[in-house]
């Protein structure tokens, strides 16, 4: 248990064992499941944690309550990593009133069979606890339809569900002033691109709703609590939800025998020749997709290469394109390249992908047959993308 304010406590937990978030995304630093308790005249717990940590979590809640009953559970988000302990929490505190919106309650019934002891709130409703008053803001599709934020008007704390969250367990400290936050920024971008990335328009609506609120602290359900860096966290979400890439290029390729990889390396030389300094190169067979998505969200230029594989795209590239289409990433400068032995198909499919995404294709693709290396053409492709990105 850690104290955020005089009577507001962090009662979350760290998960250092899980290797893949959502069984998809790499977790080299683990992940935290954040929960907060307000110990006022009436007590309120904001979200719970993954069911694997219920016993540790309930002990922290009991400690923070300091002998009091639990009056309210605020459910900002029903995804199981945040709601998994609700059923056992209700068993321990049978009189707790569960606060959520209409969509929240449908999900609670479906996941946990909970249909009673509920208090419905709508956008703009408030809940007085004593010295503290919570105001609720619905934030649908950030990143589930039932998501809402709870804002403590007293201490000006935004309990933001998954918004402004990051991968990475918390190493002792909870508030950003207690830690070196450097590694969390890339983890926030990776989290956004992996989990929230499809929902740029809803994120923008939520940010507009929060624009007139004085926020001193952001308390998300994953990662650090933001105080001195809160504006930076908001700025990252604002930029990424507008699909605004910074100056730089992501090259992603698949390669069976090294020929397509050699093309990628030469394209990178062409980018460097025209002064591009942010260049991320990913072998799709080695890089976890979460890092590739992060870099494609981060940088304005995207170059994708693939060999022809059974008259199709290389499977790892094909999988990546599906993920990119799902996220509906906009406003990218694009080029593609590929190789083949007896019949080329990859370049045609990559060209069609760029058209489907409505990305700006700045140069015709380069296609290499066998080992007849297209050195100058690859270098020129990189230079053309680089000039457009810089321009």
């Amino acid at each position: 248990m850690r104290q955020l304010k005089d009577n507001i406590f962090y009662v979350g937990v760290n998960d250092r064992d899980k290797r893949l978030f959502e069984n998809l995304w790499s977790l080299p630093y683990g992940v935290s499941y954040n929960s907060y308790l307000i110990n006022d005249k009436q007590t309120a717990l904001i979200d719970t944690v993954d069911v694997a940590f219920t016993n540790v979590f309930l002990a922290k809640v009991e400690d923070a309550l300091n002998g009091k009953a639990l009056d309210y559970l605020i459910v900002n988000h029903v995804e199981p990593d945040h709601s998994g302990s609700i059923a056992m929490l209700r068993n321990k505190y049978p009189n707790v009133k569960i606060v959520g919106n209409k969509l929240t309650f449908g999900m609670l019934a479906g996941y946990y069979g909970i249909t009673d002891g509920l208090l419905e709130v709508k956008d703009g409703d408030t809940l007085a606890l004593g010295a503290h008053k919570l105001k609720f803001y619905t934030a649908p599709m950030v990143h589930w339809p039932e998501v809402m934020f709870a804002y403590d008007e007293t201490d000006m704390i935004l309990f933001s569900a998954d918004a402004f969250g990051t991968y990475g367990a918390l190493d002792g400290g909870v508030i950003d002033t207690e830690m070196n936050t450097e590694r969390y920024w890339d983890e926030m971008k990776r989290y956004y691109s992996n989990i929230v990335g499809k929902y740029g328009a809803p994120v923008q609506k939520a940010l507009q709703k929060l624009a007139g609120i004085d926020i001193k602290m952001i308390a998300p359900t994953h990662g650090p609590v933001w105080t001195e860096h809160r504006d930076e966290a908001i700025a990252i979400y604002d930029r990424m939800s507008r699909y605004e890439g910074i100056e730089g290029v992501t090259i992603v390729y698949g390669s069976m025998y090294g020929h397509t990889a050699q093309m990628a390396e030469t394209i990178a030389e062409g980018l460097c020749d025209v002064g591009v300094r942010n260049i991320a190169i990913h072998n799709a067979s080695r890089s976890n997709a979460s890092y590739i998505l992060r870099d494609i969200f981060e940088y304005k230029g995207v170059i994708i290469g693939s060999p022809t594989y059974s008259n199709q795209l290389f499977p790892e590239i094909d999988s990546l394109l599906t993920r990119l289409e799902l996220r509906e990433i906009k406003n990218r400068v694009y080029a593609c390249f590929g190789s083949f032995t007896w019949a080329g198909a990859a370049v045609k499919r990559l060209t069609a992908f760029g058209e489907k995404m409505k990305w700006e294709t700045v140069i015709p693709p380069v296609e290499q047959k066998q080992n007849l290396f297209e050195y100058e053409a690859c270098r020129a492709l990189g230079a053309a993308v680089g000039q457009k990105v810089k321009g």
Side-chain angles (χ1 to χ4, degrees), residues 24-26 167 190 193-194 287-295:
L24 288 168
W25 316 114
S26 177
Y167 298 133
R190 197 161 65 91
S193 65
N194 299 174
S287 292
N288 183 274
S290 65
Y291 294 93
I292 301 173
L293 291 172
R294 177 198 65 192
D295 289 341

Side-chain angles (χ1 to χ4, degrees), residues 101-118:
N101 57 62
K102 186 176 181 179
L103 292 175
T104 306
F105 298 151
M107 293 183 182
L108 288 179
Y111 273 116
Y112 309 112
I114 295 174
T115 57
D116 60 355
L118 308 176

Side-chain angles (χ1 to χ4, degrees), residues 251 253-269 281 337 339 368 370-375 378-379:
I251 302 173
Y253 69 89
S255 190
M256 289 181 284
Y257 302 110
H259 303 111
T260 318
Q262 190 178 10
M263 295 176 77
E265 298 290 350
T266 307
I267 289 167
E269 292 177 11
I281 306 177
F337 63 101
S339 62
Q368 176 175 308
Q370 298 158 9
N371 197 27
L372 302 174
F373 188 44
E374 300 285 348
Y375 182 85
C378 288
R379 199 159 187 144

Side-chain angles (χ1 to χ4, degrees), residues 47 73-79 83 86 98-112 114-115 118-121 138 144-148:
D47 291 307
L73 168 64
I74 314 299
V75 181
N76 282 337
H77 186 22
V78 191
E79 196 168 8
S83 67
I86 288 179
I98 299 178
V99 181
N101 57 62
K102 186 176 181 179
L103 292 175
T104 306
F105 298 151
M107 293 183 182
L108 288 179
Y111 273 116
Y112 309 112
I114 295 174
T115 57
L118 308 176
L119 175 62
E120 183 178 345
V121 292
T138 55
W144 278 24
E146 90 300 354
V147 169
M148 65 182 191

Side-chain angles (χ1 to χ4, degrees), residues 16-329:
R16 301 183 190 276
D17 297 324
K18 184 174 289 185
R19 296 181 63 248
L20 296 174
F21 195 77
E22 295 185 336
N23 217 23
L24 288 168
W25 316 114
S26 177
L27 289 175
Y29 308 112
V31 68
S32 69
Y33 310 121
N34 299 346
S35 174
Y36 308 91
L37 188 127
I38 302 174
N39 191 339
D40 204 334
K41 184 176 181 181
Q42 291 187 296
T43 59
L45 179 67
I46 301 173
D47 291 307
T48 71
V49 304
D50 189 282
V51 68
F53 298 88
T54 298
N55 290 338
V56 173
F57 169 66
L58 291 180
K60 289 187 174 187
V61 171
E62 184 176 12
D63 190 22
L65 286 169
N66 195 27
K68 290 185 179 180
L70 180 61
D71 296 306
Y72 296 104
L73 168 64
I74 314 299
V75 181
N76 282 337
H77 186 22
V78 191
E79 196 168 8
D81 54 336
H82 306 300
S83 67
S85 296
I86 288 179
M88 283 184 270
L89 181 83
R90 173 58 83 74
N91 286 339
K92 184 168 183 176
Y93 302 102
N95 296 320
V96 65
K97 188 77 71 175
I98 299 178
V99 181
N101 57 62
K102 186 176 181 179
L103 292 175
T104 306
F105 298 151
M107 293 183 182
L108 288 179
Y111 273 116
Y112 309 112
I114 295 174
T115 57
D116 60 355
L118 308 176
L119 175 62
E120 183 178 345
V121 292
K122 298 180 175 65
D123 191 52
D125 284 353
T126 59
L127 176 65
L129 302 174
H132 293 265
K133 185 167 75 171
L134 297 176
K135 188 170 184 177
F136 300 99
Y137 296 90
T138 55
M141 300 317 302
V142 185
H143 59 115
W144 278 24
E146 90 300 354
V147 169
M148 65 182 191
F149 302 154
Y151 175 67
D152 175 19
E153 294 184 334
T154 305
D155 285 327
M156 294 173 281
I157 302 173
L158 181 70
F159 298 98
S160 62
D162 276 349
F164 313 111
T166 81
Y167 298 133
L170 299 171
D171 301 337
V174 171
I175 302 173
D176 57 3
T177 54
E178 302 173 328
M179 64 183 76
N180 181 345
T181 60
E182 183 176 351
R183 72 176 167 91
Y184 290 103
W185 298 119
D186 275 347
E187 292 297 88
M188 174 181 280
K189 294 170 186 175
R190 197 161 65 91
Y191 182 88
Y192 180 92
S193 65
N194 299 174
I195 310 300
V196 190
K198 179 180 176 67
Y199 304 108
V203 170
Q204 280 293 305
K205 288 180 180 178
L207 291 174
Q208 291 164 14
K209 191 176 289 188
L210 298 175
I213 302 170
D214 190 2
I215 299 171
K216 300 297 185 188
M217 180 181 289
I218 300 175
T221 46
H222 296 294
V225 172
W226 304 110
T227 56
E228 68 177 9
H229 293 296
R230 66 189 180 280
D231 291 342
E232 188 172 350
I234 292 170
I236 287 173
Y237 261 63
D238 180 39
R239 177 176 65 79
M240 296 186 78
S241 62
R242 287 186 285 106
Y243 304 98
E244 181 184 309
I246 66 173
E247 184 181 302
V249 178
T250 304
I251 302 173
V252 191
Y253 69 89
S255 190
M256 289 181 284
Y257 302 110
H259 303 111
T260 318
Q262 190 178 10
M263 295 176 77
E265 298 290 350
T266 307
I267 289 167
E269 292 177 11
L271 289 167
C272 187
D273 287 344
V274 297
V276 177
R277 296 296 174 259
N278 294 318
I279 304 171
I281 306 177
H282 291 281
N283 177 346
S285 295
R286 290 183 59 88
S287 292
N288 183 274
S290 65
Y291 294 93
I292 301 173
L293 291 172
R294 177 198 65 192
D295 289 341
I296 290 175
F297 265 87
E298 180 77 347
Y299 298 131
K300 188 173 180 63
V302 181
I303 304 175
I304 303 178
S306 173
T308 295
Y309 187 91
S310 296
N311 207 37
Q312 303 288 331
L313 289 167
F314 188 69
E316 296 302 326
I317 293 296
D318 193 41
S319 175
L320 173 67
L321 300 193
T322 300
R323 289 183 163 105
L324 293 174
E325 286 184 35
L326 175 66
R327 285 158 180 80
E328 300 176 7
I329 302 171

